[in-house]
Every structure is written in structure tokens, then in C-alpha cells.
Amino acid sequence: MNDIWYGILQAFQLIYTLDQDLIDISVRSLKVTLSALVISSLFALPLAAVLAVKRFKFRRFIIALLNALMGLPPVVVGLIVYILLSRSGPFGVLDLLYTTAAMVIAQIVIITPLITSIAHQSLRELWSEYHDLLISMNTSHIQRIKTLLWDARRALLTASLAGFGRAIGEVGAIMIVGGNIDNATRVLTTAIALETSKGDFALALALGFVLILIAIALNLATHWLSKTEREGRW
Amino acid sequence: MFPLIAENLVVEFNGKHILGPIDLTVNKGDISLILGPNGSGKTTLLKSLHGIMKLKRGSIKWSCSNNSSMKKQMFVFQTPIMLRRSVFENLTYPLLLRKVSNSKAHRLATEWVEKIGLKEIMHISATRLSGGEKQKLALARALIIEPEMLFLDEPSASLDGKTTVEIENLLKSCTKNGTTIMMSTHDIGQAKRLAKNILFLNKGILESNQLTETFFLEPTSPNAQKFITGEIVE
């Protein structure tokens, strides 16, 4: 119990004193996660809309596959990305292993199926509501997709936030492909894992509290900015 | 665009015969009302003519290309489908789809929102409107593009008298601008008030297609006679 109180105390102290290591690690965590989130959302959200609107061969298979990949073990993703980016791998020439770019790639692989599946659920419901109207208005596929993405934007934000939550808390894959190198690829989760293995529970807890604070603050800010749950709005 | 010629129209759903064979011609300026008991195929006929229902057999021909005709026709559904946007944005939506400039779309939407009496609440979500308000908005959204052909599926079903009058007035004013109307209804009074000619549909068969005056005086179909006098049509 003392460790927890000490951890809380140290977390506040680290935040209050704007500890440089803490700031560097937190900023790196945010940079990696937000980069993965933006790139993943740019791909996942339109894909979810296409899956909702268009009927094509293997559509059901793709949806089932994406649902299955939601539970992809991060360590396995880390291993596969590691093999692909290692010197003997097909993308070894890019020299990305043990960089933040490799960590972003691993996170994209992990969160894309999650964001796509959650977004697809919302868009499928909206499409069943809009189907007759948009067909009768002779809209093109692109117009339908744009309309769905815009009108479901708050549900899509929730899908993206779920992806953010998964990515910021991820440790296995980024540990493998990033290497947890000090001042280079160390992020909050890998730093927590390291401090725990060293027995420095207080610092690990402090970093943990910061991680939780960042996740909550970003979620609250997004909800506030997007006016979710505001009276009279969707 | 006119005449619209439907030849040997047959619709089946899951192997079950729903409609036809029907031969029908719609000329410019017609106000045709489709009467018939529940399940007679009124909605199916409207959707088929509009081109949003797959035909088993037969053809629907406009004097212009199908793509061009689709841009000049609108459909108002029995249960109005509202986009999850504001009242105002629902009105600008079909205009912006047709690449009408923003300023013109705003001007027209402002005119129409006033015309249908929703100016005070034009910025609230359309999904929060009452049934009557939604139907007026759906009709205004259809009329705002000045369609040459308007299909309406029981637009005043379950609405109060005041809203029904408002909707009928909107329809009368749009016919003065040359819009051709085809509408289904259960309301014999409404048919008398609005229609130039009446199509009587029973069990998917077009049993009569007569001018309004002659339909009510000398219906050619015995079932239509029963329907007019309020008897059950089997």
C-alpha cells in the first residue's frame, strides 16, 4: 500500500517539477500513438464505410477477418513486424527497426482492425437507416460514403478513441520492434515495464498514473471539442 | 423526360409475386394517385417506377437517359428518413449533391424553411422533429430541387388534419410549377382533392386507371367500387 501512496506522491512530484525524462517519454508516447491513430483512422474509417455501403465478393470474409483480428495478440504482431523490418527481412533496407517508425507500424497493425470493426458497426446501422433515401437521391458511392462518414462522425470518434486506448496502453509489440532504447524509443508503457523489472515500483506507478492521466485528459478533451452528448445534437 | 412508359412491369420478392404485369404511361403534369387496400403493391409500384426496386420483367422508359431522369425525380417515403443533421442542413443536402453553389443553397434553404414553418428550429437536429414536421421537411427537401417528377408514398398517413392540409398545399403549389406527381394514399378524400387521375391497385394488378371524376362515378373495377363504398376488398 505504501508503494501506491509513494507512487501517487512521486507522480505528482514528477508532474509538478516537470521532470524532463517524464516529459520526453510522455511526448514520445503521444507522438507514436497519435501518429498510429491518425494513419490508421485515415485507412480504417473509409474502409469501414466501403464495407457498409458496397456489396462485393469476399466482403463478409473481410468483415469476419477484421473482427477476428481485433483480438490479435500484440506480441505476435511485434514479432511479425520485427521479422519484416529486420536486416534479413523484406523491408530491412529501410532500416526502421528500433525506431519510433517501427513502433508506429506495429500499433497501426494492432489498432486498424479494431477501429474498422467498431466503425463498421456504427456505419452499418446508419446505412440501413439512410439506404432508401440515398439510393432514391441517386447518390454515387463516394457521396454515400462521405455522407455516412460525416453523419456518423461522433460514433467514429468513439471508434478512434478505442483505438487510441489500445495503442497508448500497448507494450508487447513496441517493446519488440522499438527495443525500449533510452531517449530514443522508450515510451510510458515500456518504461513502466522496465522500472517494474528493476523493482522500482514507485517510479513505475508514477509513470502509470501519468499514462492514465494522459488517456483520460485526451478522451475528455475530444468529447468536449466534438460536443458529444450535448443537448439537441447528434 | 416525359412520357414515362412502363411496360409489362413485374416485381417478385424472394420468389413471391408482388406486382404486375402492369402497363402504364405517365405524362407531364399528371397528378396520379394510387389507391388500393393494404398489401396491394402501391409502394412497390412507386419504387419500381422511381427505379429503386429491381424488376423481374418489363421495362421503365423515360424519354431521356435513366441517369438523367434520376436526377430530376425525388421520392418521399411514408416514414420520413431524416439525415442526422440540422433541419437546415437536411434542406441544403440535395442541392449540394447537385453542385449548387453554397450561397444559392443557403438562399433556397432559407426560403423553404420559412415556407414550411420551421425557421425557429432550423438549427436543431431533424431527428428531433415531430412526425408531421419531419414529413413537411422531407417534402421540402424533395421539392427544393424543383423535381420534374415526384413520387410520394402515403405522405400524410397518420398525420393530423392541419399538417395534411399544409402538405397538400405544398403539393398543389409544386404542380403549378410543372412537377408531375404520383402518390399513394389510403385517403379517398385526399384522392378527390388532389388527383387528376386515379390508379386502383389490387393484389399487384392495376385494375383501373381513370380520371378522378369518372373513377368515383363509374369505376371500371368491381373491387374499386367496393373500396370507394368502404367495403372490404378481398
Side-chain angles (χ1 to χ4, degrees):
Chain A
M1 198 62 194
N2 278 343
D3 277 342
I4 294 177
W5 284 116
Y6 184 62
I8 294 170
L9 203 67
Q10 195 165 354
F12 279 109
Q13 199 175 352
L14 287 171
I15 295 166
Y16 182 73
T17 57
L18 294 175
D19 180 80
Q20 195 54 48
D21 280 348
L22 179 75
I23 291 172
D24 286 348
I25 291 174
S26 303
V27 168
R28 195 175 302 119
S29 279
L30 277 174
K31 268 187 186 172
V32 168
T33 304
L34 290 176
S35 303
L37 183 67
V38 168
I39 296 167
S40 177
S41 296
L42 284 175
F43 178 73
L45 301 181
L47 173 64
V50 169
L51 288 171
V53 168
K54 284 199 84 170
R55 296 289 175 267
F56 54 89
K57 213 177 174 183
F58 302 124
R59 177 181 156 273
R60 282 172 190 272
F61 173 74
I62 292 171
I63 293 167
L65 186 68
L66 285 166
N67 286 334
L69 291 178
M70 276 168 71
L72 205 60
V75 179
V76 179
V77 173
L79 181 64
I80 293 167
V81 175
Y82 181 91
I83 292 168
L84 292 173
L85 297 181
S86 65
R87 291 212 179 262
S88 55
F91 303 106
V93 68
L94 299 173
D95 208 17
L96 291 175
L97 202 60
Y98 301 132
T99 65
T100 50
M103 295 156 76
V104 170
I105 292 168
Q107 289 197 345
I108 289 171
V109 176
I110 291 166
I111 65 174
T112 299
L114 180 75
I115 297 176
T116 312
S117 291
I118 298 175
H120 175 250
Q121 293 289 337
S122 308
L123 293 169
R124 192 177 57 180
E125 278 174 30
L126 188 61
W127 176 237
S128 70
E129 191 180 317
Y130 281 9
H131 177 271
D132 284 357
L133 178 70
L134 297 189
I135 298 280
S136 83
M137 284 187 171
N138 195 32
T139 49
S140 65
H141 279 300
I142 296 288
Q143 286 170 329
R144 288 169 201 169
I145 287 169
K146 279 185 183 173
T147 303
L148 288 184
L149 288 175
W150 179 251
D151 287 6
R153 58 193 180 279
R154 287 182 178 84
L156 300 183
L157 189 70
T158 306
S160 292
L161 284 177
F164 175 81
R166 179 98 199 264
I168 192 110
E170 210 290 309
V171 59
I174 55 170
M175 181 84 91
I176 293 173
V177 300
N180 198 16
I181 302 165
D182 197 15
N183 288 320
T185 58
R186 184 162 298 163
V187 290
L188 283 165
T189 49
T190 56
I192 291 168
L194 180 69
E195 296 307 325
T196 305
S197 68
K198 280 161 58 182
D200 191 349
F201 297 119
L203 183 57
L205 273 170
L207 291 165
F209 289 129
V210 172
L211 181 62
I212 292 168
L213 280 177
I214 288 175
I216 292 174
L218 198 84
N219 271 270
L220 287 176
T222 315
H223 277 284
W224 181 71
L225 285 172
S226 66
K227 301 179 178 72
T228 310
E229 304 302 326
R230 184 173 283 194
E231 182 75 17
R233 305 278 308 191
W234 271 89
Chain B
M1 184 172 171
F2 291 95
L4 157 66
I5 300 170
E7 286 177 328
N8 196 29
L9 207 69
V10 176
V11 177
E12 286 184 4
F13 189 70
N14 287 341
K16 191 184 168 198
H17 182 85
I18 304 288
L19 188 77
I22 286 180
D23 291 297
L24 182 67
T25 301
V26 180
N27 292 304
K28 187 168 173 57
D30 281 356
I31 307 172
S32 310
L33 264 78
I34 307 171
L35 284 176
N38 277 335
S40 58
K42 300 187 290 294
T43 302
T44 306
L45 176 59
L46 285 171
K47 286 186 174 177
S48 304
L49 293 172
H50 183 45
I52 58 173
M53 187 151 262
K54 205 175 167 189
L55 304 179
K56 176 72 179 173
R57 277 202 308 277
S59 64
I60 293 159
K61 286 176 191 156
W62 299 86
S63 64
C64 59
S65 71
N66 267 357
N67 195 35
S68 155
S69 72
M70 275 302 280
K71 287 178 183 165
K72 295 172 188 167
Q73 47 176 309
M74 289 296 260
F75 197 105
V76 177
F77 297 90
Q78 184 174 356
T79 307
I81 303 169
M82 294 290 106
L83 295 170
R84 293 182 188 178
R85 302 178 180 202
S86 69
V87 171
F88 194 80
E89 286 166 327
N90 264 272
L91 286 169
T92 54
Y93 182 77
L95 296 167
L96 298 176
L97 279 182
R98 285 164 175 75
K99 311 264 185 262
V100 172
S101 68
N102 262 327
S103 57
K104 190 178 176 189
H106 274 68
R107 182 174 56 75
L108 287 170
T110 308
E111 281 172 25
W112 272 96
V113 83
E114 207 157 336
K115 209 181 279 187
I116 58 174
L118 299 179
K119 194 182 175 188
E120 301 300 317
I121 49 171
M122 68 181 186
H123 293 303
I124 72 160
S125 172
T127 54
R128 296 180 67 210
L129 300 178
S130 69
E133 288 169 336
K134 279 182 183 171
Q135 197 56 282
K136 280 195 289 183
L137 178 58
L139 184 55
R141 188 177 58 195
L143 292 176
I144 200 166
I145 66 151
E146 295 180 353
E148 289 192 34
M149 179 82 213
L150 179 64
F151 295 99
L152 303 109
D153 187 12
E154 302 197 33
S156 54
S158 69
L159 296 184
D160 60 67
K162 182 175 173 281
T163 314
T164 303
V165 169
E166 285 173 346
I167 283 176
E168 287 184 7
N169 287 340
L170 282 172
L171 291 176
K172 281 174 191 165
S173 70
C174 84
T175 55
K176 282 177 192 160
N177 299 331
T179 302
T180 305
I181 290 177
M182 182 165 275
M183 168 174 149
S184 67
T185 184
H186 267 107
D187 184 346
I188 291 175
Q190 187 168 55
K192 284 179 181 170
R193 289 193 295 275
L194 291 177
K196 278 186 186 167
N197 59 304
I198 290 177
L199 312 173
F200 181 77
L201 211 56
N202 186 35
K203 292 178 182 168
I205 302 295
L206 184 60
E207 292 193 357
S208 79
N209 181 0
Q210 295 176 266
L211 289 172
T212 305
E213 304 83 63
T214 50
F215 176 81
F216 285 107
L217 288 173
E218 299 165 30
T220 50
S221 149
N223 286 320
Q225 176 68 53
K226 282 185 182 176
F227 188 81
I228 294 165
T229 54
E231 288 178 55
I232 304 278
V233 179
E234 289 177 40

